Amino acid sequence: DQQVKQNSPSLSVQEGRISILNCDYTNSMFDYFLWYKKYPAEGPTFLISISSIKDKNEDGRFTVFLNKSAKHLSLHIVPSQPGDSAVYFCAAREVGRALTFGSGTRLQVQP
Amino acid sequence: DAGVIQSPRHEVTEMGQEVTLRCKPISGHDYLFWYRQTMMRGLELLIYFNNNVPIDDSGMPEDRFSAKMPNASFSTLKIQPSEPRDSAVYFCASSWGADTQYFGPGTRLTVL
């Protein structure tokens, strides 16, 4: 039973445009959400997070939106750059438990 | 400041052999996690420790897998005997307080 789902395995965007990566979850006990970025042959690196008491968190070109009623979060990258090409994982935490990761979305930013 | 360190980075072994993967977490972190990444299953949590104590090992696939954390700065994941289906990238991660996890570079294991 996948509690965190990333339904788009891949996404292709033109450089300079907006990239929107989506993530859905089913567990209403999740209270903290994160996005990780992974390049080939490297471990995932933390990108941005959001607490369940907020609906938006912004860090430079990256913004995470949380819609608790829809159990949906999204990562917006504006403007997208070729260096953003990577696999993006969303993750969620229930208090006292380890993170649960989605299956990842491969983003390709075309120059 | 060094991140999570894993060794070896690559391991090629033959079926039936024992494999030991090693991890040094970030100093001061109290949680340590072992993950396996495959094309089929994505990123799977195998086991995690809090203050060197195993908390949840429900993700460990079989008795062939074992993990230890003898002290706060070292952990091992052992597979004995190894099988071709164990071929994957194994990641170690650490965190302070089970929130944001910091991952190592991974060990790519190939079992022939």
Side-chain angles (χ1 to χ4, degrees):
Chain A
D1 178 30
Q2 275 189 295
Q3 297 189 61
V4 178
K5 296 181 183 179
Q6 294 178 258
N7 293 316
S8 298
S10 64
L11 175 67
S12 183
V13 173
Q14 286 292 119
E15 181 179 5
R17 305 295 290 269
I18 184 172
S19 295
I20 301 176
L21 296 99
N22 294 304
C23 181
D24 296 297
Y25 62 95
T26 57
N27 187 345
S28 57
M29 300 301 289
F30 288 145
D31 69 339
Y32 188 65
F33 303 87
L34 308 89
W35 284 95
Y36 283 80
K37 179 169 70 174
K38 185 184 180 305
Y39 293 118
E42 296 182 11
T45 56
F46 169 71
L47 190 58
I48 192 169
S49 63
I50 187 168
S51 165
S52 60
I53 62 173
K54 295 186 173 182
D55 55 17
K56 177 182 174 181
N57 188 26
E58 193 172 350
D59 183 3
R61 296 186 297 114
F62 303 91
T63 303
V64 56
F65 295 91
L66 176 62
N67 182 335
K68 282 196 297 182
S69 61
K71 293 190 175 66
H72 178 84
L73 71 155
S74 61
L75 174 68
H76 292 209
I77 307 173
V78 183
S80 301
Q81 299 174 354
D84 297 329
S85 297
V87 177
Y88 290 79
F89 292 95
C90 70
R93 186 203 69 178
E94 181 180 349
V95 174
R97 293 182 170 270
L99 295 179
T100 301
F101 282 84
S103 55
T105 297
R106 182 178 300 278
L107 173 66
Q108 183 72 37
V109 179
Q110 307 286 350
Chain B
D1 186 20
V4 175
I5 299 171
Q6 291 186 248
S7 64
R9 292 294 311 275
H10 302 273
E11 177 79 37
V12 180
T13 191
E14 292 188 346
M15 182 174 65
Q17 296 297 306
E18 177 180 297
V19 175
T20 299
L21 311 182
R22 296 172 176 80
C23 176
K24 177 178 168 55
I26 293 172
S27 177
H29 281 185
D30 59 345
Y31 280 82
L32 183 139
F33 306 82
W34 281 101
Y35 291 89
R36 177 171 69 176
Q37 184 182 24
T38 62
M39 290 295 291
M40 293 294 293
R41 293 175 169 266
L43 202 59
E44 293 178 274
L45 176 66
L46 300 177
I47 185 172
Y48 75 96
F49 297 83
N50 178 218
N51 291 323
N52 314 338
V53 176
I55 302 300
D56 184 353
D57 65 354
S58 59
M60 296 285 261
E62 299 171 33
D63 291 346
R64 298 184 296 106
F65 286 68
S66 63
K68 293 182 180 180
M69 192 165 185
N71 58 62
S73 59
F74 184 65
S75 176
T76 59
L77 178 67
K78 187 175 294 187
I79 308 172
Q80 165 63 19
S82 58
E83 296 183 3
R85 59 192 167 123
D86 301 331
S87 298
V89 181
Y90 291 80
F91 290 105
C92 175
S94 70
S95 69
W96 171 249
D99 285 343
T100 305
Q101 296 178 20
Y102 295 87
F103 284 76
T107 295
R108 180 173 295 277
L109 173 65
T110 303
V111 183
L112 303 174

